[in-house]
Amino acid sequence: MSHHYHFHGVEAEGRPKEVASSVLARWLLRQLSPMKFAIAILIATTFATLALNMAGPYISKLIVDEGITKKDAESLLHYSLVLVAVAAASFALGFLRNYLTGFVNQRFLFEMRRKVFDHLEEMDVSYVSGERTGKIISLVTNDIEAIGDVATSGTMEVMIGALTVVGTIYLMVGFHLMLSLATFSIVPLMVIVSRYFAKKTREAYRLTREKISELTSNVEQGVSGSKVSQSFVERKEVDSITFRKVSGETMRANIRARLIFSLVNPSLNAIRAGSLAILIVYGGSLVASGEMSVGTLIAFYGYSEMFFRPIITLTTFYSTVQAALAAAERVYLFLGTKPTVVELEGSRDIEIERGEIVFKDVSFGYGGNEVFEELNLVVKPSEVVAIVGPTGAGKTTITNLIMRLYDPQSGKVLIDGRDVKEFKYRSLRGQISLVPQEPILFNDTVLNNIRMGKRNSSDEQVKNIISELGMDDLIKSLPEGFYTIVSPGGSNLSVGQRQMISFARAMLKDPKILILDEATSSLDPYTESMLQKAMVRTMRGRTCILIAHRLSTVKLAQRIIVLSNGKILEEGRHEELILKGGAYSKLYELQFGAAPIKEMEQALVTKI
Amino acid sequence: MLWRLVRLSSKPQRLFRRVFRYVMMNKAFFFSATALTVTSSLLGLVAPMVSGAVIDRVVAGNVSDIWVLAVVIVALTVFGSLIHFGSDIIGELLAQKVVYRLRTEIFEHLQNLSYSFYDKVDAGQIITRVTSDMEQIGRLLGFALPNLVNAFCMLVSVSCILLFQNRSLALVAFSITPFVAVISLTFNRVVRPFMQRVWTEVSKVNAMVQEVVAGFRVVKALDMGDEMIQRFEGRNRELYDIGMKTTKLSSITWPSLGLIMGMGTAAIYWYGGLQVIGNITSLGELVAFTMYLGMMTWPIMSIGFILTRYQRAMVSAQRIFEVLDTEPEVKESPDAIELPNLAGSVRFEDVTFGYDSTKPVLKGLNLSVSPGEKVAIIGSTGSGKSTLIKLIPRFYDPQGGRILVDNYDIKHVKIESLRKRIGIVHQDVFLFPLSIRENIAYGKPNATQDEIEAAAKAARIHDFIKTLPQGYDTIIGERGITLSGGQRQRVAIARSLLIDPSILILDDSTSSVDADTEREIYEALKELVKNRTVFIITQRLSTLKLADRIVVIEGGKIVEDGKHEDLLKRSGAYAKLYMAQFARQEVSG
């Protein structure tokens, strides 16, 4: 007599905040429209299944009344075979229905993922940064699935459920009105109880998830700091106590959740039992008095079983839909966000011949912070310029503006006298290379990673650039040379190796303008000198912008620009600035303090 | 498994026996849970009989005391539910207690494992063992096993009842069960692996999204957008393909079950119906029979699921026991003594060591340091300087030779008493996501606010902390404030100052900081090295100046040893290294 009631999507939470549910619903329907043929068949099979389900108990009624009670062996066989036919048809329909549901679901997910990723590629660099990165990732990893589940199988289930309820009510009332009403009398109680439990279960499981998350953090912290905590031995006891506390809380949260979860079925079954009792007593008397046949009673029982199951699913459906709509809203809003830095109409492929960069009255800021106000800057063709200054002075922003990863609020950035906005992206970025501080490689072979610098380069060309840069040894030191696969996150290579590859990638396209944004800051001195040697080899004939902290890098420049708070404080050659005794020389002097090494320094200065 | 430091039997039965030992630590819970489960499943068997009796009474027209039967059914359901609930809860309590105990054991064991373990094992692996692997065991003990007991009970008792009631009909019923078993097995053997593959493809898709989002600036700068879209299309399509394959396979499972059940019911109705017509059985018995048949399906299906869960849980158990069985490499000897207060002399006698014992980094190294001396260890990358200092607190044991602290062989000293006296300021400062106060007092949890502030002042970080709105209570890290490299270093210095070590190890090869910060760090370090024996490894000129003795390592041995000026004059190894490493100075930014 006991059943397992299932709450559909108990764990789902949230609701849409900004966009109207009707708008979202219509948007979702549009997403489903490519599959309308499959959906139509699906709906048809669903109705057919329903009809067959309804038939089931009725046929048992016939078997009992016509076959058994009337002692008609032939009818018995006849109706039994009908039952078999119904089972076979159900099987076929069931398979078709599952398959189509799966198909619609998979297609939906596929299209959604594609749309989101395609849109992602168009977005501004400023949008895909900071806090938002987690949310964007979550769109693909969580939200799309959440929508898919509800939109396809969830909706099917509800449709079948609702129709089943309607159908069974119709049939039961058709058999006997009073008995039906008596049976339905417990429905309100069931609804209240199941909604109550759905809410409590949700909360309880949310708490367990929180605790597990805490536990994970505790262990993560302990493991990553294990070498440190081993140095501080007093820590052992404290850490153990803290861990046991979180562990204990996790245990209690799990027990509490189980408690609530385990109450659900017993409670609902108890209520069901009440209805069954009514059925037995009332229905029994009806049969005894001849008002109803035995077969009808048995069928009635069958229908009441079919009736109660969907009731539970339906009571929790509302909140499940809300949660799915919340996820849909996030995707909808993301897809609706338009990038601000776009390729303009009329932009063309322009070849950079000289490599002159001019900032004309450029004003720029983000998130309410102003970085530059009417900045004017000139970099001559093939000049090597170093930009120094404290963090936040705007050095990286300059590089972002040159590559048009951002657009200035006012003013112009000109290359060879043309506004960067006139260039097609491919043209602009195909001639300017950026080597950032943190080397970013992708999950592919080293060869392909380098090739990303200039698509359609041959293997030969890639190998040549490596030789030109003097990096043959580097490649030899890799386990599979050029064919070593960089793991996601690049953890199988050292920072130095990755940065060298990143540099080779940048040089493959033989850029007219080369930007090195603190490219050596993360490196140890040995790798740094290797990279600098490679840099020196290749800087001739290009405009180079070096953003650096290290004197060794800065000294490679022909001109140094000192930037602070978005303003140029000084500019000139290293020796000029030292003699000036201004901001630059102060920065430089602070490093030296005590005398003895000064002669060493002079010697080095003249060497380079 | 990515590593295996310990050979462990992977037979599920052996592993289960070991897990079961933990279960037996809670005998009362185990036996009562089992008893309640059996009772509740047996109770459930009564209901169809009562329904059958109802039908018969009704057919016979005898309904006067039918309400008794109705009450019986309600009472049975309520009572049965209560017992089921009780068994669930006790089962869960048991499961959670076992998991709690395992978690505590593994945590405390992890605290004792040495550096070499943490070198080899990736953090994620350890974390999963404490979290998701434990959950697997919890679910096995709390859900799967009770279900197994239930299923087994049901199967046996229902079979008995069916056979007892009506042998011929029972045989018809049993002819269905192999088919149900086959469906269940097929689902587990065939469909589940596909579901695994779906999960793998999902991870690939997610990984790619993460990669692009994390490296977005570079993707744009390289104008790789189109390529990325193409690549994603490939992965997306693979996911779709595997999803569809899985759909095809799984679509057939439940309908097949329905078909078998439907045909079985039809057969029972027909054969049983004939018996009723022939007055061999009553209608009520037939109805009861079909109900019992229904009660057989779920146990058979669930055995398949339970088996899968069991296998998965045993894989988790193996992973957990692997860690528990790993012995720490650096072990305390049973006759270890407590180290008294140290003057702080350190001596390396003929020390040979390599992370891989066949490739020694230090080869018969000798070094003698007096109390209060400040020694800088210079060498090229990979020379062994970092390795050397890791041996002093016994994070690793040398393969040959010995290390003495104040003439005590560190191998014969209690590890905690040794490490208490050694302070380490690491290269990559690791701070915990706790308050500044808690970070500084990390090594001395009972430190007073005065002590903490004194350490912070000496480390030149107190003034900065005072500028923060929450002062010492400010949380460091993602959820709080991000400190600059220089600030982190000073917090670490304060942390070391607070424990007042006799021996200090200073390894600061961090990347560039601006000149002001560098000066602050220098002043803080100057304070820190007072009255202690110090070992310095550094790339920074200012830090180098704190040393009064320089030692050069090359080829795993000490090649030069003396004062800075003297060594420079020699124009030997030191002079070369000095030019290469320290002559590059930083311009503040």
Side-chain angles (χ1 to χ4, degrees):
Chain A
M1 291 297 136
S2 49
H3 301 282
H4 273 270
Y5 291 106
H6 174 61
F7 288 156
H8 190 84
V10 152
E11 320 222 314
E13 271 184 81
R15 51 186 48 204
K17 297 185 187 97
E18 295 168 29
V19 184
S21 301
S22 54
V23 172
L24 291 170
R26 254 179 284 147
W27 175 71
L28 283 172
L29 280 169
R30 256 178 284 145
Q31 306 311 313
L32 289 170
S33 71
M35 300 156 258
K36 30 180 197 275
F37 189 59
I39 294 179
I41 301 184
L42 191 54
I43 296 181
T45 53
T46 308
F47 274 105
T49 311
L50 221 57
L52 282 177
N53 286 346
M54 293 290 138
Y58 193 75
I59 297 176
S60 353
K61 165 186 146 70
L62 290 174
I63 289 180
V64 174
D65 286 344
E66 303 299 314
I68 298 178
T69 313
K70 292 208 179 128
K71 301 209 188 259
D72 182 354
E74 219 183 284
S75 296
L76 179 62
L77 183 61
H78 177 111
Y79 287 121
S80 300
L81 287 173
V82 171
L83 205 59
V84 173
V86 167
S90 279
F91 168 76
L93 283 173
F95 172 69
L96 194 60
R97 214 180 64 235
N98 285 342
Y99 180 80
L100 287 171
T101 310
F103 169 71
V104 172
N105 196 28
Q106 291 293 327
R107 270 301 292 275
F108 175 79
L109 292 176
F110 176 78
E111 297 290 341
M112 273 279 111
R113 281 193 293 256
R114 176 203 273 170
K115 283 201 178 87
V116 168
F117 194 84
D118 287 0
H119 188 77
L120 175 64
E121 290 297 339
E122 284 175 35
M123 296 307 290
D124 290 333
V125 173
S126 56
Y127 186 83
V128 183
S129 61
E131 273 186 19
R132 278 209 209 90
T133 55
K135 295 206 182 100
I136 296 175
I137 294 174
S138 174
L139 278 174
V140 177
T141 55
N142 297 323
D143 291 335
I144 293 182
E145 286 267 341
I147 305 173
D149 270 345
V150 174
T152 53
S153 47
T155 318
M156 281 281 104
E157 235 180 275
V158 166
M159 229 176 59
I160 296 178
L163 288 171
T164 308
V165 168
V166 169
T168 48
I169 292 181
Y170 178 71
L171 286 170
M172 284 161 82
V173 166
F175 281 141
H176 198 281
L177 178 63
M178 288 314 293
L179 187 59
S180 305
L181 288 176
T183 313
F184 298 154
S185 62
I186 61 158
V187 169
L189 187 59
M190 275 192 120
V191 170
I192 294 173
V193 168
S194 83
R195 292 196 73 170
Y196 173 76
F197 275 119
K199 185 152 166 272
K200 287 281 166 201
T201 319
R202 246 203 309 272
E203 281 169 22
Y205 277 111
R206 197 198 324 136
L207 189 64
T208 58
R209 278 200 299 272
E210 271 174 36
K211 287 294 157 194
I212 290 182
S213 187
E214 257 184 66
L215 191 67
T216 310
S217 301
N218 185 302
V219 180
E220 216 172 339
Q221 191 185 303
V223 169
S224 42
S226 60
K227 292 190 175 177
V228 175
S229 40
Q230 286 199 15
S231 319
F232 294 97
V233 290
E234 299 297 322
R235 212 50 212 185
K236 220 164 144 183
E237 190 60 39
V238 173
D239 288 343
S240 181
I241 292 175
T242 315
F243 178 79
R244 266 180 284 152
K245 177 163 164 280
V246 180
S247 180
E249 284 169 8
T250 309
M251 171 172 91
R252 278 186 289 277
N254 273 321
I255 294 174
R256 186 166 169 271
R258 183 66 188 274
L259 208 95
I260 297 175
F261 182 73
S262 298
L263 273 174
V264 174
N265 276 312
S267 320
L268 294 175
N269 279 325
I271 300 175
R272 262 293 274 138
S275 139
L276 191 58
I278 296 174
L279 189 63
I280 291 176
V281 176
Y282 190 13
S285 65
L286 288 176
V287 174
S289 67
E291 217 180 302
M292 203 164 84
S293 72
V294 174
T296 311
L297 184 63
I298 294 176
F300 201 91
Y301 172 70
Y303 285 124
S304 71
E305 292 273 283
M306 285 175 70
F307 166 79
F308 280 111
R309 224 166 304 205
I311 295 278
I312 306 301
T313 319
L314 288 171
T315 57
T316 51
F317 189 65
Y318 181 69
S319 44
T320 315
V321 167
Q322 289 293 89
L325 284 177
E329 183 183 52
R330 285 191 283 270
V331 178
Y332 179 79
L333 288 173
F334 173 76
L335 290 176
T337 312
K338 297 236 182 301
T340 53
V341 179
V342 282
E343 212 166 55
L344 299 173
E345 250 188 72
S347 60
R348 334 188 303 270
D349 288 326
I350 303 176
E351 194 179 323
I352 300 175
E353 282 161 39
R354 295 175 291 126
E356 175 194 58
I357 305 174
V358 175
F359 273 58
K360 205 162 169 197
D361 294 331
V362 169
S363 295
F364 180 79
Y366 32 15
N369 296 328
E370 210 180 64
V371 182
F372 302 131
E373 209 184 304
E374 293 186 5
L375 177 74
N376 283 289
L377 178 70
V378 175
V379 179
K380 301 206 235 343
S382 302
E383 201 185 0
V384 178
V385 170
I387 305 183
V388 302
T391 340
K395 312 191 291 279
T396 302
T397 313
I398 289 182
T399 67
N400 286 336
L401 289 169
I402 296 175
M403 298 205 66
R404 241 205 121 194
L405 295 173
Y406 294 106
D407 275 339
Q409 267 93 44
S410 68
K412 292 199 188 144
V413 177
L414 306 161
I415 295 184
D416 279 4
R418 301 203 128 93
D419 193 329
V420 288
K421 288 184 184 164
E422 291 178 42
F423 288 74
K424 271 196 147 66
Y425 282 144
R426 187 144 291 201
S427 168
L428 183 68
R429 295 173 191 165
Q431 300 177 78
I432 306 179
S433 272
L434 170 71
V435 184
Q437 180 177 5
E438 196 57 52
I440 302 225
L441 301 180
F442 300 94
N443 181 210
D444 201 340
T445 61
V446 168
L447 187 67
N448 285 337
N449 264 287
I450 300 175
R451 208 200 305 271
M452 287 185 193
K454 185 176 177 196
R455 53 184 63 75
N456 301 324
S457 304
S458 65
D459 289 1
E460 195 73 38
Q461 286 168 314
V462 172
K463 293 186 180 162
N464 282 340
I465 197 77
I466 289 287
S467 299
E468 274 174 40
L469 294 173
M471 292 185 191
D472 290 305
D473 286 336
L474 169 75
I475 302 292
K476 280 212 192 80
S477 74
L478 297 176
E480 273 131 56
F482 276 107
Y483 298 98
T484 314
I485 295 193
V486 180
S487 65
S491 48
N492 60 334
L493 300 176
S494 72
V495 173
Q497 288 168 325
R498 282 185 277 144
Q499 191 64 300
M500 301 294 270
I501 294 172
S502 177
F503 186 72
R505 177 176 70 193
M507 296 312 298
L508 185 63
K509 64 166 85 101
D510 196 26
K512 215 51 191 129
I513 300 176
L514 177 63
I515 304 176
L516 295 156
D517 192 346
E518 302 216 34
T520 59
S521 292
S522 312
L523 303 178
D524 63 87
Y526 179 67
T527 319
E528 184 187 2
S529 75
M530 266 217 321
L531 187 57
Q532 280 187 349
K533 283 203 195 92
M535 275 158 60
V536 169
R537 260 178 152 110
T538 58
M539 287 199 303
R540 203 160 308 223
R542 278 179 240 283
T543 310
C544 294
I545 299 184
L546 308 172
I547 298 184
H549 274 157
R550 297 208 194 258
L551 180 62
S552 50
T553 315
V554 171
K555 281 194 175 170
L556 297 168
Q558 293 157 334
R559 176 160 63 111
I560 299 170
I561 298 177
V562 180
L563 199 66
S564 179
N565 282 334
K567 291 195 172 35
I568 299 181
L569 295 182
E570 293 179 346
E571 45 178 323
R573 295 183 59 86
H574 167 80
E575 296 80 7
E576 292 168 19
L577 293 179
I578 292 284
L579 289 172
K580 237 191 194 164
Y584 181 77
S585 85
K586 273 211 192 70
L587 292 176
Y588 189 87
E589 240 179 66
L590 273 171
Q591 216 46 41
F592 291 122
I597 328 87
K598 257 237 169 96
E599 315 115 63
M600 215 57 71
E601 296 307 315
Q602 307 299 12
L604 285 165
V605 166
T606 46
K607 267 202 188 106
I608 297 178
Chain B
M1 240 118 350
L2 296 184
W3 58 274
R4 201 173 294 201
L5 296 181
V6 166
R7 288 252 147 257
L8 199 73
S9 163
S10 51
K11 279 217 180 78
Q13 297 89 298
R14 283 248 188 98
L15 290 163
F16 185 72
R17 239 178 285 160
R18 203 166 156 183
V19 173
F20 200 68
R21 255 181 267 153
Y22 288 88
V23 173
M24 277 293 117
M25 291 177 201
N26 303 282
K27 282 202 183 65
F29 283 96
F30 175 69
F31 286 120
S32 46
T34 314
L36 286 174
T37 310
V38 171
T39 314
S40 97
S41 44
L42 289 177
L43 271 179
L45 297 173
V46 181
M49 266 190 252
V50 179
S51 307
V54 167
I55 298 282
D56 286 338
R57 295 273 175 105
V58 160
V59 167
N62 179 6
V63 290
S64 47
D65 53 356
I66 210 171
W67 63 272
V68 174
L69 289 173
V71 167
V72 167
I73 285 195
V74 176
L76 268 178
T77 315
V78 173
F79 192 55
S81 297
L82 276 169
I83 297 192
H84 189 76
F85 174 73
S87 79
D88 272 354
I89 291 304
I90 298 181
E92 186 70 27
L93 275 166
L94 174 65
Q96 291 299 319
K97 280 171 75 95
V98 170
V99 168
Y100 179 82
R101 172 127 190 178
L102 274 170
R103 270 203 296 253
T104 311
E105 274 187 27
I106 210 178
F107 184 82
E108 289 180 353
H109 190 76
L110 281 168
Q111 283 185 317
N112 289 329
L113 288 174
S114 13
Y115 267 38
S116 52
F117 173 81
Y118 288 101
D119 285 339
K120 293 197 191 96
V121 180
D122 146 62
Q125 291 287 316
I126 299 178
I127 295 172
T128 37
R129 278 159 174 79
V130 183
T131 52
S132 33
D133 284 328
M134 290 289 172
E135 247 179 282
Q136 288 290 338
I137 305 235
R139 263 183 250 156
L140 175 75
L141 295 176
F143 282 97
L145 283 185
N147 279 344
L148 184 67
V149 172
N150 201 1
F152 189 67
C153 245
M154 290 275 270
L155 271 177
V156 170
S157 39
V158 170
S159 309
C160 291
I161 292 178
L162 290 182
L163 280 169
F164 181 72
Q165 272 218 312
N166 189 326
R167 206 162 302 170
S168 46
L169 213 53
L171 290 174
V172 174
F174 289 159
S175 62
I176 301 175
T177 51
F179 292 101
V180 180
V182 165
I183 294 176
S184 166
L185 264 155
T186 316
F187 184 76
N188 284 308
R189 282 268 166 81
V190 178
V191 181
R192 245 175 230 283
F194 270 91
M195 288 174 148
Q196 274 291 96
R197 282 172 62 183
V198 167
W199 191 82
T200 314
E201 294 300 323
V202 168
S203 312
K204 279 202 211 152
V205 165
N206 291 344
M208 189 167 171
V209 175
Q210 262 185 320
E211 209 181 42
V212 167
V213 169
F216 200 64
R217 185 170 172 232
V218 170
V219 171
K220 282 286 196 172
L222 292 172
D223 205 33
M224 289 293 299
D226 291 341
E227 275 79 357
M228 289 297 162
I229 289 180
Q230 254 187 320
R231 204 188 274 211
F232 185 77
E233 180 75 12
R235 292 209 185 164
N236 199 6
R237 206 154 263 289
E238 272 171 33
L239 178 53
Y240 174 79
D241 286 339
I242 197 83
M244 277 315 292
K245 281 205 185 93
T246 312
T247 301
K248 282 188 199 138
L249 283 172
S250 61
S251 302
I252 211 165
T253 314
W254 292 111
S256 311
L257 192 66
L259 179 65
I260 303 288
M261 285 312 295
M263 284 171 50
T265 313
I268 301 279
Y269 264 128
W270 174 69
Y271 193 70
L274 284 176
Q275 289 194 344
V276 175
I277 292 176
N279 284 323
I280 302 174
T281 326
S282 76
L283 182 62
E285 277 177 15
L286 179 60
V287 171
F289 207 90
T290 50
M291 285 182 177
Y292 279 125
L293 185 65
M295 287 166 84
M296 287 255 281
T297 334
W298 174 81
I300 300 178
M301 287 298 287
S302 62
I303 287 182
F305 298 143
I306 292 170
L307 233 106
T308 319
R309 169 124 289 158
Y310 169 73
Q311 280 164 344
R312 213 186 291 167
M314 288 305 107
V315 170
S316 291
Q318 180 177 18
R319 288 149 63 96
I320 294 172
F321 290 135
E322 257 175 1
V323 176
L324 282 176
D325 289 347
T326 309
E327 299 251 341
E329 276 190 25
V330 171
K331 276 191 276 234
E332 202 167 82
S333 76
D335 58 353
I337 56 170
E338 188 85 27
L339 199 60
N341 277 326
L342 290 181
S345 72
V346 179
R347 193 159 76 241
F348 283 72
E349 273 180 13
D350 215 21
V351 170
T352 303
F353 174 76
Y355 296 103
D356 174 351
S357 49
T358 60
K359 298 199 190 123
V361 177
L362 302 176
K363 300 173 190 158
L365 185 136
N366 285 291
L367 175 65
S368 195
V369 176
S370 323
E373 241 189 320
K374 299 163 201 353
V375 182
I377 307 186
I378 307 287
S380 51
T381 327
S383 58
K385 46 189 203 276
S386 308
T387 313
L388 186 143
I389 54 175
K390 282 190 194 141
L391 296 177
I392 303 175
R394 258 198 106 188
F395 290 139
Y396 298 94
D397 274 338
Q399 276 100 30
R402 58 184 193 154
I403 300 169
L404 299 126
V405 161
D406 268 17
N407 288 322
Y408 292 95
D409 184 341
I410 60 175
K411 270 206 178 121
H412 297 299
V413 158
K414 284 216 172 107
I415 297 182
E416 282 190 19
S417 69
L418 172 68
R419 294 188 186 160
K420 238 194 328 205
R421 314 256 191 266
I422 304 179
I424 308 181
V425 180
H426 284 260
Q427 188 178 350
D428 298 311
V429 177
F430 187 89
L431 297 179
F432 293 88
L434 304 166
S435 69
I436 295 184
R437 180 207 314 279
E438 285 171 298
N439 266 288
I440 296 180
Y442 191 73
K444 194 174 177 189
N446 303 318
T448 62
Q449 179 66 10
D450 287 333
E451 287 171 328
I452 295 174
E453 282 191 19
K457 282 191 185 126
R460 301 286 193 283
I461 191 88
H462 173 79
D463 292 331
F464 167 74
I465 298 177
K466 279 301 184 194
T467 66
L468 298 171
Q470 284 164 314
Y472 280 87
D473 292 317
T474 317
I475 306 270
I476 299 179
E478 278 183 14
R479 280 182 285 142
I481 181 182
T482 312
L483 298 177
S484 72
Q487 288 158 347
R488 293 165 68 86
Q489 205 169 18
R490 282 176 284 162
V491 172
I493 292 173
R495 185 167 71 185
S496 287
L497 275 169
L498 194 57
I499 60 170
D500 195 25
S502 314
I503 300 174
L504 179 72
I505 298 176
L506 181 57
D507 186 348
D508 89 343
S509 321
T510 36
S511 43
S512 47
V513 293
D514 61 79
D516 284 326
T517 311
E518 173 131 355
R519 185 188 298 123
E520 295 279 288
I521 293 179
Y522 173 72
E523 294 294 326
L525 286 175
K526 224 167 68 173
E527 191 63 41
L528 181 61
V529 302
K530 277 193 198 145
N531 301 323
R532 290 178 230 287
T533 312
V534 188
F535 291 84
I536 301 174
I537 295 183
T538 182
Q539 309 281 8
R540 227 182 255 153
L541 183 63
S542 55
T543 312
L544 182 65
K545 287 188 272 180
L546 293 167
D548 45 36
R549 174 178 166 194
I550 312 255
V551 148
V552 179
I553 291 192
E554 210 174 278
K557 282 187 152 71
I558 298 194
V559 295
E560 286 185 7
D561 183 348
K563 282 180 149 355
H564 164 84
E565 297 82 12
D566 301 333
L567 293 182
L568 270 185
K569 283 207 198 97
R570 270 196 232 173
S571 294
Y574 178 62
K576 277 208 199 82
L577 286 165
Y578 183 83
M579 288 286 287
Q581 292 176 6
F582 294 94
R584 306 179 167 287
Q585 288 296 320
E586 293 132 29
V587 171
S588 52

